[in-house]
Amino acid sequence: MNEKLRIVIIGGVAGGASAAARARRLSESAEITIIEKGPYVSFANCGLPYHIGGVIPDRESLLVQTPRSLHERFNITVRTMTEAVGIDRSARTVALRGADGRDAGTVPWDRLILSPGAQAFRPSMPGVDLPGVFTLQTIPDMDAVIAHIARGGVRRAAVIGGGFIGLEAAENLAKKGIAVDLVEADRQVMPPLDHEMAEIVHQHLAVRGVALHLERRVTGISHNGNALTLAFDDGKTMDTRMVLLSIGVRPRTGLARAAGLAIGVTGGIAVDERMRTSDPDIYAIGDAVEVTSPVTGLPGFVPLAGPANRQGRIAADSIFGRDSAYRGTLGTSICKVFDLAAGGTGASEKLLRKSGRDFRKVYVHAGNHAGYYPGAYPVAIKLLFDPSSGLLLGAQAVGAEGVDKRIDVLATALGARLTVFDLEHLELSYAPPFGSAKDPVNMAGFTAANMLRGDHRVIHAEDLHDLDPERDFLLDVRTADEFRADSIDGAVNIPVNELRPRLGELPKNKRIIAYCAVGLRGYVAQRMLTLSGFDAVNLCGGFKTWLMATGQLSGAGSQPVPDTFRSGPGK
């Protein structure tokens, strides 16, 4: 291949800048040009909320690369404040327009990489363009929010949308002493999580004073003196001084569509595993492309920085004939919400149900490190897997500490196509301040493998709605004090340590449904009962998971971390 290629990259930030740097490392003779519509070619847009909250005090630290740094180190030409407005595939040129709206000529290319990203969604409703209504995707967006707050008078703000940016914005506005209303049209925040796992986040938002408005849809925004008024579909209204729209993003595909490139079913640019579009000399990467889930095989739109960076490298590799292919997007992600972290990887239960994929699930609540070492907090883990092979399909975790470690291990296991039986044997680091001899990931593997082997017969929280008193007996095996504090209606309490001498109190002609706080004592009771001739099952994840699934999880209060997250002796 003649390496004197003219490579033009439309869009910088994560994907475009990575593609440019990788291309230069593969060729010193290629002419590499980045066309960037905005003033910043490479910036940390994931850090924008944290600069608003003052966690990242230095604005300049958000600038990952500048035109000057890219030119000095990589000999890359960067044209900022220049918009690509058209692609001529026959002439192999890109038409440009300057920030002043004037024609800025054309730039020729031998290989073209599209990295236009995604744009913040502004719904077609009245008032979205009013002063005091913002999105948060670029540094100018961030600057506008900070300037609005600095002008004074912002004591209350409404964040519309409970995704990653919405949650991070809510936290950082609250840190500035602003009362926050978080409005979400769905029944939960953090759409990648399943509802019961998101319930932990809901309760922690309440602990931190964020007013959460679920299943409420905004229909319009209007001025009301110095305030803004949100109108809801139920006819009610809410006054605020600032609105941050965080309703999601949409892939920027205008250039690709106009050039006649294929668009995928989810609205992103269609690419193959080498990031080539329907024109083999044009590549597309990042938030603008459609990806495939390695778990379900379904197409999707997953705007994440990690995949964008990898796709940029793969596009550059492909241009120079390297054997490099994209393996799909697991959607591994994590979000900080005050004192909690919530993350996931692979398919959620709702996605598996939508795809028609058969699955099983287990819940584990295990300490992030040894319980006898100070500061231990449970990590709630949900594991999804294939019922015949035990192949991992997805995982979610929420907790105060150690969520990132477990999600990363599980994402690696998913990528390697490991099974729940493999999780039993993972050798993970252990010292009292960092982990346990049986890590939560191991515990999830033990629980799932025991289920598939038939040793651990389970029932899930949603199945308790269908109990028949004539056939089912609900047994609470926690301590008497725990039972008196709260329990599931209709349960009979026999603590697990008293169960053997009291087996005669249980009916032989009914199914015994045992439960404890988080599932471990219930499992011990289930095995004891099964081996004693009873028909017994265990409530998977115990009383805590039942509270999560039914929306009754306790924890509101003034503590930085709710009591439901504090390790205790009861298991």
Side-chain angles (χ1 to χ4, degrees):
M1 175 184 290
N2 178 11
E3 290 196 348
K4 288 187 176 296
L5 288 175
R6 296 169 298 182
I7 301 172
V8 174
I9 302 169
I10 298 176
V13 194
S18 293
R22 177 64 172 171
R24 176 57 71 221
R25 291 194 295 271
L26 297 178
S27 169
E28 267 297 304
S29 61
E31 297 177 7
I32 305 170
T33 304
I34 298 176
I35 307 299
E36 172 56 51
K37 180 180 178 181
Y40 305 100
V41 65
S42 182
F43 64 94
N45 52 3
C46 295
L48 302 182
Y50 298 103
H51 182 57
I52 291 174
V55 178
I56 300 174
D58 184 5
R59 179 181 181 277
E60 297 303 305
S61 66
L62 297 174
L63 304 180
V64 181
Q65 292 282 358
T66 66
R68 180 176 178 177
S69 67
L70 285 171
H71 181 73
E72 289 179 346
R73 178 167 296 184
F74 297 107
N75 191 25
I76 293 168
T77 299
V78 179
R79 297 180 63 174
T80 57
M81 302 302 291
T82 303
E83 182 180 6
V85 294
I87 299 170
D88 188 328
R89 291 167 58 188
S90 298
R92 292 184 176 236
T93 59
V94 176
L96 306 177
R97 181 168 59 203
D100 57 5
R102 295 180 181 178
D103 186 326
T106 61
V107 59
W109 54 269
D110 298 308
R111 300 290 186 273
L112 181 64
I113 301 176
L114 303 181
S115 182
Q119 58 190 1
F121 177 63
R122 281 182 176 265
S124 56
M125 66 180 183
V128 293
D129 296 318
L130 287 173
V133 180
F134 303 92
T135 57
L136 187 58
Q137 190 182 24
T138 66
I139 286 184
D141 291 340
M142 176 191 73
D143 292 340
V145 170
I146 292 172
H148 183 74
I149 295 172
R151 284 192 288 269
V154 179
R155 294 186 177 86
R156 191 168 205 93
V159 177
I160 303 177
F164 294 101
I165 296 296
L167 289 167
E168 291 164 354
E171 174 183 345
N172 283 281
L173 289 171
K175 284 184 176 179
K176 295 187 74 67
I178 297 172
V180 178
D181 291 285
L182 182 56
V183 181
E184 171 56 56
D186 200 356
R187 64 193 289 248
Q188 68 170 84
V189 300
M190 282 200 75
L193 295 185
D194 289 317
H195 176 262
E196 74 279 15
M197 300 299 286
E199 176 66 11
I200 304 173
V201 181
H202 298 166
Q203 294 300 323
H204 192 59
L205 287 168
V207 168
R208 281 303 192 176
V210 173
L212 186 59
H213 308 267
L214 296 174
E215 298 184 274
R216 300 199 69 188
R217 189 175 299 276
V218 178
T219 58
I221 306 171
S222 60
H223 268 307
N224 180 15
N226 292 326
L228 293 166
T229 298
L230 305 184
F232 296 97
D233 55 359
D234 59 4
K236 296 180 180 179
T237 61
M238 174 193 297
D239 287 341
T240 189
R241 292 301 298 271
M242 186 182 87
V243 175
L244 184 63
L245 299 174
S246 183
I247 311 176
V249 295
R250 302 292 185 271
R252 286 193 175 100
T253 57
L255 271 177
R257 290 177 186 272
L261 300 178
I263 303 299
V265 296
T266 61
I269 302 170
V271 293
D272 65 12
E273 70 278 4
R274 301 190 186 278
M275 308 315 298
R276 295 176 297 199
T277 68
S278 53
D279 184 323
D281 291 328
I282 301 178
Y283 298 75
I285 60 178
D287 294 354
V289 305
E290 180 175 271
V291 296
T292 301
S293 165
V295 176
T296 66
L298 295 176
F301 172 61
V302 187
L304 293 169
N309 275 281
R310 289 192 295 279
Q311 291 162 9
R313 288 174 56 87
I314 290 168
D317 283 351
S318 299
I319 287 173
F320 290 101
R322 295 293 183 98
D323 185 15
S324 184
Y326 191 62
R327 300 180 180 180
T329 301
L330 287 171
T332 306
S333 58
I334 191 167
C335 184
K336 178 182 180 297
V337 187
F338 293 96
D339 299 307
L340 294 186
T345 185
S348 63
E349 179 175 347
K350 53 194 171 189
L351 181 59
L352 290 171
R353 291 190 183 279
K354 181 179 179 181
S355 69
R357 177 74 183 263
D358 195 14
F359 68 93
R360 296 294 183 270
K361 62 181 179 180
V362 294
Y363 300 90
V364 170
H365 303 272
N368 68 302
H369 60 64
Y372 58 82
Y373 187 87
Y377 294 102
V379 177
I381 294 179
K382 178 178 184 179
L383 199 66
L384 299 139
F385 50 95
D386 184 270
S388 57
S389 65
L391 183 72
L392 295 176
L393 302 177
Q396 298 164 37
V398 183
E401 298 286 347
V403 168
D404 52 345
K405 172 181 176 178
R406 276 74 194 194
I407 287 298
D408 286 346
V409 169
L410 290 165
T412 303
L414 269 166
R417 296 185 61 79
L418 300 186
T419 69
V420 297
F421 305 107
D422 294 314
L423 296 188
E424 292 183 293
H425 297 282
L426 288 186
E427 186 175 325
L428 303 174
S429 61
Y430 163 59
F434 303 106
S436 299
K438 292 185 287 188
D439 190 85
V441 172
N442 298 130
M443 294 297 294
F446 296 149
T447 305
N450 282 337
M451 178 193 293
L452 294 185
R453 294 186 182 107
D455 294 331
H456 189 189
R457 296 181 59 212
V458 305
I459 189 171
H460 290 291
E462 60 267 27
D463 301 323
L464 296 189
H465 297 298
D466 301 322
L467 297 187
D468 181 354
E470 297 298 317
R471 296 180 300 174
D472 297 307
F473 185 89
L474 192 57
L475 177 64
D476 187 321
V477 299
R478 299 175 300 160
T479 66
D481 287 342
E482 290 175 282
F483 181 74
R484 280 191 294 269
D486 199 6
S487 65
I488 302 175
D489 288 346
V492 173
N493 178 228
I494 303 179
V496 67
N497 291 352
E498 302 175 15
L499 189 55
R500 280 188 181 86
R502 297 177 63 180
L503 290 178
E505 300 176 28
L506 301 177
K508 280 278 191 177
N509 61 341
K510 293 184 180 182
R511 179 179 60 166
I512 310 297
I513 300 166
Y515 76 88
C516 63
V518 297
L520 182 54
R521 285 175 290 174
Y523 170 56
V524 172
Q526 179 257 314
R527 292 301 300 157
M528 186 190 308
L529 292 167
T530 298
L531 294 173
S532 299
F534 290 88
D535 177 13
V537 296
N538 178 34
L539 176 60
C540 192
F543 187 60
K544 183 182 290 188
T545 302
W546 181 80
L547 291 172
M548 291 158 51
T550 57
Q552 300 179 62
L553 182 66
S554 62
S558 59
Q559 298 142 318
V561 181
D563 281 342
T564 46
F565 286 91
R566 299 188 183 279
S567 290
K571 298 295 182 186

